Amino acid sequence: MAERHDQSPLVCIVVGSKSDWDVMQHAGSILDKFGIAHESRVLSAHRTPQMAAKYFANAEQRGVEVLICGAGAAAHLAGAAAGNTVLPVLGVPLSGSALNGLDALLSTVQMPAGIPVGTLAIGKAGAINAALLAIAILSSKRPDLREALRNHRAEMAEKVANESLE
Ligand code: RP5
């Protein structure tokens, strides 16, 4: 499937630091594979709070439909996003701190009632699944994407079925 960086983004991947991108680029790769227009930004909930708030608040009027936020340590980026938009926000906790991502997991998943963040697994699996979940959200209005998700599952199943330990 073709990459679509030239169109207005349907999904934004936001990371709290450039150091998060090694892991979060896997979300971008999945979106590329499915041909979803997306953009990526570094915005910090604590280092650039006003800039981050403005970006999240403007996302809906730009046509964005899903936000993916990856951050480590006291990871309040996804919560800060969710507080500034009613778009679905998917949070990916990242490891790298002394607590290996447990801090980021709890910071992301334990949102108080009323401002939801859909929280994925720590690290690469979470980045990949955030993108797949974003595609599942987009696919409710786009049957071609739902079919592409079915094909992706079938590809995974075929790979497992053909695996040999010898
Ligand atoms: C968080 O602090 C970022 O999301 C990153 O995971 C972590 C460390 O950031 P750097 O010090 O590497 O910029 O805000």
Side-chain angles (χ1 to χ4, degrees):
M1 279 173 257
E3 291 187 18
R4 291 190 203 157
H5 296 289
D6 50 331
Q7 301 173 9
S8 63
L10 289 175
V11 179
C12 296
I13 304 171
V14 182
V15 290
S17 168
K18 194 174 175 186
S19 64
D20 298 325
W21 187 242
D22 265 3
V23 173
M24 291 306 296
Q25 66 175 326
H26 294 287
S29 300
I30 294 287
L31 295 172
D32 283 343
K33 182 182 175 195
F34 283 79
I36 309 288
H38 62 95
E39 73 177 15
S40 310
R41 288 280 183 283
V42 181
L43 288 167
S44 169
H46 40 271
R47 290 172 177 150
T48 62
Q50 285 90 2
M51 202 185 297
K54 193 169 166 195
Y55 180 84
F56 296 133
N58 287 338
E60 185 180 354
Q61 72 187 43
R62 294 177 56 223
V64 174
E65 295 189 27
V66 185
L67 292 162
I68 296 174
C69 296
H76 41 200
L77 183 62
N84 280 288
T85 182
V86 294
L87 293 175
V89 176
L90 306 179
V92 183
L94 300 176
S95 59
S97 68
L99 299 181
N100 290 325
L102 185 58
D103 42 3
L105 173 64
L106 296 178
S107 304
T108 308
V109 80
Q110 286 290 63
M111 285 298 291
I115 309 291
V117 168
T119 304
L120 287 301
I122 297 170
K124 180 179 171 184
I128 290 170
N129 282 346
L132 289 169
L133 192 51
I135 294 163
I137 292 167
L138 296 173
S139 77
S140 69
K141 285 191 295 186
R142 296 171 179 86
D144 55 321
L145 279 183
R146 191 153 279 178
E147 199 48 38
L149 277 172
R150 279 199 188 91
N151 292 338
H152 183 70
R153 296 263 177 116
E155 275 170 32
M156 283 192 297
E158 194 182 335
K159 195 173 161 223
V160 172
N162 290 325
E163 264 164 359
S164 161
L165 298 179
E166 288 158 25

